[in-house]
Amino acid sequence: MIKSELVQVLAAENPHLFVKDVEKIVGAIFDHISTALAEGDRVELRGFGAFSVKHREARVGRNPRTGDPVEIEEKWTPFFKAGKEMRECLNQEDVALAAAE
């Protein structure tokens, strides 16, 4: 599901809201999550999961085509860990799908 699909689903489930308002709400949520991560904060959405940032040290990698060593700079990468409720929901669906086959 992409952002525009999410907006359409939420707008359909909430007919009292205009699509433009739903777009602003979804955009604001994503912007606040991005801003918090950029500031080094952790964002936890109970039942869904937690977003955090992990530091990756500088290292020497290899060019896969030539095998030559390549310097890789240190960087910060976003990390998502699914919450317990989400994992349970996903695993229940896997069991239901496997039983249906």
Side-chain angles (χ1 to χ4, degrees):
M1 175 179 288
I2 60 175
K3 186 176 175 181
S4 61
E5 292 172 340
L6 176 62
V7 168
Q8 292 301 320
V9 169
L10 291 174
E13 291 177 359
N14 297 284
H16 61 284
L17 295 173
F18 294 110
V19 175
K20 283 188 173 189
D21 293 336
V22 175
E23 286 177 12
K24 288 179 184 177
I25 292 168
V26 171
I29 291 169
F30 290 162
D31 288 344
H32 283 288
I33 291 172
S34 298
T35 302
L37 292 175
E39 293 173 355
D41 294 334
R42 182 173 187 263
V43 178
E44 182 176 337
L45 305 172
R46 298 276 172 163
F48 181 72
F51 296 92
S52 60
V53 181
K54 289 196 174 192
H55 183 256
R56 299 187 70 170
E57 297 289 336
R59 61 189 172 88
V60 176
R62 296 258 174 225
N63 181 330
R65 185 171 288 169
T66 63
D68 295 338
V70 177
E71 292 289 327
I72 301 174
E73 297 178 1
E74 71 174 348
K75 58 186 164 186
W76 294 90
T77 59
F79 179 75
F80 175 76
K81 182 176 180 183
K84 180 180 177 184
E85 292 176 24
M86 177 181 276
R87 284 192 312 270
E88 289 173 353
C89 179
L90 292 173
N91 289 324
Q92 287 176 356
E93 288 181 23
D94 287 343
V95 171
L97 290 174
E101 293 177 356

